Amino acid sequence: MLEIRDLHAEVEGKEILRGVNLTIADGEVHVLMGPNGSGKSTLSNVLVGNPKYRVTQGSIVMDGKDLLAMSPDMRANEGVFMSFQTPVEIPGVSMTNFLRAALNAKRKHQGLDPIKGSDFLALLREKRKIVGLDAHFMSRGVNEGFSGGERKKGEIFQMAVLEPTFTILDETDSGLDVDALRTVVEGFNVLRNGHNSALVITHYQRMLDYLKPDHVHVLMDGHIVKEGDASLGYTIEERGFDWIKEEISTQP
Amino acid sequence: MSDYTYPPLYCNLGREDARAVGVEQFADFLESYGAELDLHSVPELAANRSGMSNAIRRYRRHPGELYKYTDLKAALTPEYGINIHRRLLTPNPYKAYRCGVAGMNAHTVYVVNDVIAPMAEPVSPAADHDCFYVGPISAVSQAWDNGTSMLILMFQKYMYRSGAFMHNDDPITWLNTMLRQDGIMVYVPDGMKLKRPVQIVNVNDSRTPMMSNRLLFVFLGHDAEADVILCDHSVGDTSYLSTQQVNVFQCYGSRLGLYGVEETSAQTTRFSNFSIHQEGGSRLDSNLLTLTCGLSRNTMWVRQVDDNVQTSVSGAVIADAQQHADNYIHIIHGRANCESEMYFKYVMGGASRGAFTGISYVDRNSQINSRQQHQSLVVSEKARVQSRPVLEIYADDVKCSHGSTVGKLDEAALFYMRQRGIPEQEARLLLQHAFVNDVLQRIPLEPLRERISRLAERRFRGDAAHCDGCSIKDYCQ
Ligand SMILES: Nc1ncnc2c1ncn2[C@@H]1O[C@H](COP(=O)(O)OP(=O)(O)OP(=O)(O)O)[C@@H](O)[C@H]1O
Ligand SMILES: [Mg+2]
């Protein structure tokens, strides 16, 4: 269970989030929509503890633990994963070495021994298939020279290896071609179980079709201004955000 | 002073004149102890001392550009002893030390301070022209049988030819020439490709401050091939000063791999001078790695002669705390179709100082292709790095490029890694290792490449504790 209460956050001295409230129960998939620049990525970054973003007020509690008190790596090892909107290149650090370090950090956190070399390679092979990522990406530097779509596949692949309990997908669908999107989201669905939950940021209906989310939230001007079920997402796809803006302005 | 560092070398004893401190102490030393030094020296090395001493006395008035970023005077001022009587302080260094680059199946020679330990598997002096030789110069000196005298003749003929540039200019070469008593010779005859690399492990090991003056002469015949690995270590926290002169003569078509790995200590001041003569069609692959050091300076002069000469000099520095690392590379290009590349990467932490000077000299009527790259990653506020590329070009038909960059760790990459659960220290380590790794990947000798990559990784892991980087640590404790 993830509970965000009255969350305020700023970046470069500018307040972006102005009191966000959001609860995601175990096993649920929530979709977050909102106009460009409304603060969706800001919220994601705050959830994973990006030091560029400063929380000024409010709380984030996951399974009873204060997320804001944890370092980014601690949060990750507690099961928080973010698929970045724009994944960065890490030249010279191969995907294999990178993921081994990440997986072993998590295992250490759980009190487990490092994974055996052969088991690890088998695991990579199995998870690559889920998203259809070629073997040669493993020996290349992380995201080094990857196309936009390949980077997004890479993110889901990493998620599959690390098996998080709470996943944020920040526009993972944009940049993927139709077939790749299906593979990736099907892969994502395969990894769902009754316990892990997700916050999915998207601008597109296709994602709603595949994901069948439990809830849809709309973020505007740093607040969640509207909530509903999947049908809210379809309405936005059809009518945009203006009607919501009008609705707010007519409210007292 | 303990008995074995006899006689002690006093620098400024009873002198009021502050200018006399520094390099001059060595000239004074020679005046007092020259005869005794000669008594325990290879005769072929004893001849040149006094000229050097005069040069050193002149030096303090003409410091020049050569040591722009390294304060030579300050480095040479403290007092050190010299092991004039050449006692081997560690009877069996092959057992006592464990060099991190060990297990290479190499022809290994240990040099304790500047005394060459008997080799575990000696290579006897060549009986004829077809045999190679790795061993002390003293073993072939003043020999009158056929093969051995050939070696000493080669030494006399080519040793100074290959080192001519440095003899004119470099005070460290003067100092080394003035004080060295023995050295190692590697001789590979025409056409021979040495199957096993030659590994020279220099160890500073003394309980009192010690100066060592080392010499290596490498001769590669026509189309000969060899790999030479030089490892530098220091034991304990004694102050050490070492000078090393490496002279190389590469005949037509020969190939040399020359690798340096330094894992010394904060109390070690080390100067290593390379003077390399490359004839036509020869190839040099060199890689100089400074893992831990106090003050470290590599000076390399390469002189290409004729056509089709290839020279690649790369290196990496990993420095923190108060370490000072300086690489100075000077390549004088040959005529047609010659290539050279300098590729250096530094990772600078703590309050470390790094310097790089790359000089490409191209004479008239040359057609060459020369590249220079110096990239630094500065990971702390107090670290500094200086870079000085110099292109001296007197020809038209040349392709020359140089670049120097100074950057910080990529914060976005760091965060990305932490988001995946990798702790900050580990993430920094991975990024730093990745940064220098492409320099290490240039080492063509695979087992060496792997070992060095591991040493570098361990170096990044070894937090502030300095001795951590040194593989002789086990022996110290
Ligand atoms: N590092 C930053 N420096 C300065 N401004 C920033 C930074 N990050 C975000 N912002 C600003 O904060 C606001 C919210 O940005 P955010 O990326 O959260 O929007 P978003 O809802 O994800 O938009 P999109 O749908 O385009 O991805 C924008 O005005 C943006 O310019
Ligand atoms: Mg965004």
Side-chain angles (χ1 to χ4, degrees):
Chain A
M1 172 108 111
L2 183 86
E3 290 177 278
I4 304 170
R5 288 285 162 268
D6 190 30
L7 188 67
H8 292 250
E10 56 182 43
V11 56
E12 312 265 329
K14 191 169 99 181
E15 185 168 59
I16 309 292
L17 302 183
R18 303 175 185 161
V20 172
N21 290 293
L22 191 66
T23 303
I24 301 174
D26 287 355
E28 291 184 350
V29 171
H30 291 221
V31 161
L32 183 65
M33 302 181 85
N36 293 135
S38 59
K40 301 181 298 297
S41 294
T42 302
L43 177 61
S44 317
N45 275 287
V46 167
L47 281 167
V48 293
N50 189 333
K52 274 181 33 194
Y53 299 79
R54 204 167 76 85
V55 174
T56 51
Q57 202 178 310
S59 67
I60 307 172
V61 175
M62 190 173 83
D63 301 329
K65 290 179 192 159
D66 178 7
L67 219 52
L68 290 177
M70 297 180 200
S71 66
D73 34 299
M74 181 75 126
R75 295 181 203 198
N77 290 326
E78 283 283 325
V80 180
F81 180 95
M82 172 162 94
S83 163
F84 285 75
Q85 184 168 2
T86 46
V88 294
E89 286 189 10
I90 313 179
V93 180
S94 70
M95 184 67 98
T96 305
N97 284 342
F98 172 69
L99 276 178
R100 188 188 290 118
L103 188 64
N104 283 336
K106 182 167 186 176
R107 291 175 65 92
K108 189 174 174 191
H109 181 75
Q110 294 169 332
L112 299 171
D113 285 338
I115 188 167
K116 270 204 346 226
S118 51
D119 292 350
F120 178 65
L121 294 178
L123 179 76
L124 291 192
R125 219 173 304 126
E126 174 202 330
K127 303 295 186 182
R128 268 198 297 110
K129 291 211 185 93
I130 295 180
V131 291
L133 203 60
D134 240 43
H136 70 85
F137 289 105
M138 299 302 105
S139 51
R140 264 159 75 175
V142 175
N143 297 325
E144 200 178 353
F146 286 27
S147 75
E150 287 162 351
R151 286 182 196 210
K152 297 299 175 75
K153 280 191 194 175
E155 297 289 289
I156 299 301
F157 163 69
Q158 292 178 42
M159 180 198 116
V161 172
L162 296 171
E163 299 184 331
T165 47
F166 174 63
T167 302
I168 303 160
L169 302 187
D170 192 352
E171 298 197 27
T172 303
D173 52 342
S174 32
L176 288 173
D177 65 50
V178 187
D179 296 327
L181 179 67
R182 191 185 321 107
T183 323
V184 162
V185 183
E186 278 170 1
F188 175 80
N189 280 334
V190 166
L191 299 161
R192 276 173 77 176
N193 57 34
H195 305 291
N196 52 22
S197 52
L199 180 66
V200 178
I201 297 167
T202 181
H203 292 293
Y204 304 107
Q205 176 186 331
R206 269 205 323 251
M207 205 60 170
L208 303 168
D209 297 341
Y210 285 124
L211 284 175
K212 312 212 170 5
D214 301 287
H215 291 276
V216 173
H217 310 262
V218 179
L219 186 68
M220 264 186 198
D221 298 328
H223 305 274
I224 303 287
V225 293
K226 200 160 183 66
E227 295 184 73
D229 56 18
S231 66
L232 173 60
Y234 291 104
T235 316
I236 290 170
E237 173 84 23
E238 218 173 279
R239 299 174 56 193
F241 293 104
D242 285 349
W243 64 277
I244 302 178
K245 269 185 211 152
E246 277 162 29
E247 223 178 74
I248 304 165
S249 61
T250 56
Q251 273 168 11
Chain B
M1 281 294 163
S2 58
D3 61 339
Y4 53 73
T5 55
Y6 170 85
L9 177 71
Y10 290 111
C11 59
N12 50 354
L13 203 67
R15 283 197 182 238
E16 298 299 313
D17 181 1
R19 283 172 309 162
V21 172
V23 289
E24 279 209 336
Q25 66 166 318
F26 300 99
D28 293 349
F29 172 85
L30 191 68
E31 253 165 44
S32 312
Y33 295 106
E36 199 146 356
L37 207 60
D38 286 351
L39 205 61
H40 300 278
S41 292
V42 177
E44 284 76 10
L45 296 179
N48 287 308
R49 299 197 205 282
S50 53
M52 296 293 132
S53 149
N54 291 335
I56 279 187
R57 285 192 195 281
R58 282 197 307 272
Y59 173 71
R60 90 190 144 92
R61 289 185 284 275
H62 309 283
E65 290 267 283
L66 189 59
Y67 287 88
K68 192 177 163 111
Y69 301 122
T70 294
D71 186 344
L72 204 53
K73 258 187 203 174
L76 299 178
T77 293
E79 293 178 24
Y80 297 94
I82 289 185
N83 185 3
I84 276 195
H85 290 174
R86 313 195 55 69
R87 292 185 200 143
L88 185 58
L89 302 185
T90 310
N92 191 350
Y94 299 87
K95 278 225 173 91
Y97 308 125
R98 220 167 35 83
C99 172
V101 194
M104 292 279 307
N105 187 25
H107 299 283
T108 307
V109 192
Y110 271 83
V111 183
V112 182
N113 303 312
D114 48 20
V115 179
I116 300 152
M119 291 170 70
E121 277 180 79
V123 177
S124 52
D128 54 55
H129 280 259
D130 298 334
C131 285
F132 73 97
Y133 176 64
V134 177
I137 296 162
S138 52
V140 295
S141 159
Q142 297 203 310
W144 301 111
D145 66 90
N146 249 349
T148 325
S149 64
M150 181 277 296
L151 281 177
I152 204 69
L153 287 176
M154 299 298 273
F155 177 80
Q156 283 171 326
K157 184 165 178 197
Y158 293 105
M159 158 77 189
Y160 293 100
R161 263 181 78 184
S162 52
F165 281 97
M166 286 187 146
H167 277 277
N168 292 337
D169 281 332
D170 193 320
I172 292 297
T173 299
W174 301 340
L175 202 55
N176 182 279
T177 309
M178 190 170 102
L179 297 173
R180 65 194 177 204
Q181 294 173 282
D182 196 358
I184 294 171
M185 179 166 174
V186 175
Y187 170 82
V188 186
D190 292 351
M192 181 182 281
K193 299 178 182 6
L194 272 198
K195 285 191 197 75
R196 296 158 62 189
V198 173
Q199 185 185 22
I200 293 161
V201 184
N202 292 319
V203 185
N204 295 315
D205 187 358
S206 161
R207 262 157 289 147
T208 54
M210 173 72 86
M211 180 192 196
S212 305
N213 296 290
R214 298 164 179 149
L215 171 66
L216 169 66
F217 172 56
V218 178
F219 181 91
L220 297 189
H222 292 199
D223 300 316
E225 285 187 17
D227 289 295
V228 177
I229 307 162
L230 291 160
C231 303
D232 278 58
H233 299 286
S234 289
V235 174
D237 54 8
T238 315
S239 298
Y240 299 108
L241 168 65
S242 68
T243 72
Q244 173 171 254
Q245 181 71 40
V246 178
N247 284 7
V248 176
F249 198 96
Q250 281 190 255
C251 295
Y252 284 86
S254 62
R255 188 199 67 81
L256 176 67
L258 184 61
Y259 314 101
V261 185
E262 178 178 5
E263 276 194 307
T264 60
S265 64
Q267 294 78 18
T268 301
T269 297
R270 168 191 171 277
F271 292 94
S272 192
N273 280 3
F274 300 83
S275 188
I276 297 166
H277 179 101
Q278 281 191 270
E279 288 191 334
S282 67
R283 176 183 179 92
L284 169 72
D285 286 300
S286 170
N287 207 300
L288 304 171
L289 183 63
T290 310
L291 285 175
T292 45
C293 67
L295 181 149
S296 175
R297 156 79 172 217
N298 288 305
T299 310
M300 183 180 278
W301 284 74
V302 180
R303 185 179 186 203
Q304 300 181 336
V305 179
D306 287 349
D307 306 339
N308 303 314
V309 185
Q310 286 179 301
T311 307
S312 157
V313 184
S314 47
V317 169
I318 301 169
D320 59 19
Q322 310 293 320
Q323 295 180 10
H324 176 108
D326 183 357
N327 284 294
Y328 181 103
I329 314 296
H330 193 143
I331 299 179
I332 299 159
H333 291 86
R335 287 195 311 236
N337 199 23
C338 288
E339 278 188 40
S340 79
E341 180 173 36
M342 301 181 202
Y343 189 71
F344 279 77
K345 282 193 164 184
Y346 289 19
V347 179
M348 308 299 295
S352 63
R353 295 284 177 273
F356 174 80
T357 304
I359 303 179
S360 291
Y361 178 91
V362 185
D363 212 345
R364 260 169 299 157
N365 309 322
S366 296
Q367 298 160 290
I368 61 117
N369 184 351
S370 141
R371 295 180 299 273
Q372 262 188 50
Q373 259 309 319
H374 177 226
Q375 297 177 4
S376 302
L377 190 61
V378 176
V379 296
S380 81
E381 292 291 318
K382 286 193 186 140
R384 297 280 177 281
V385 58
Q386 279 163 307
S387 190
R388 189 165 65 109
V390 182
L391 303 178
E392 247 187 276
I393 299 167
Y394 302 98
D396 301 324
D397 192 9
V398 291
K399 269 195 234 159
C400 281
S401 67
H402 68 86
S404 132
T405 62
V406 180
K408 293 183 177 173
L409 271 190
D410 181 350
E411 290 296 325
L414 200 59
F415 177 68
Y416 186 88
M417 300 174 93
R418 296 184 73 192
Q419 205 302 300
R420 299 304 188 240
I422 303 173
E424 185 171 357
Q425 272 310 102
E426 176 90 9
R428 285 181 184 279
L429 180 154
L430 281 168
L431 287 176
Q432 292 172 15
H433 191 260
F435 177 75
V436 293
N437 201 35
D438 64 336
V439 172
L440 312 183
Q441 291 308 317
R442 291 175 167 235
I443 299 172
L445 214 60
E446 199 205 320
L448 180 66
R449 185 171 65 231
E450 271 173 25
R451 278 172 174 80
I452 284 182
S453 184
R454 232 177 297 140
L455 283 182
E457 191 182 323
R458 200 182 55 191
R459 168 66 178 86
F460 284 123
R461 271 183 211 286
D463 35 309
H466 240 203
C467 215
D468 261 22
C470 169
S471 30
I472 291 192
K473 162 184 82 159
D474 303 339
Y475 166 78
C476 304
Q477 289 164 348

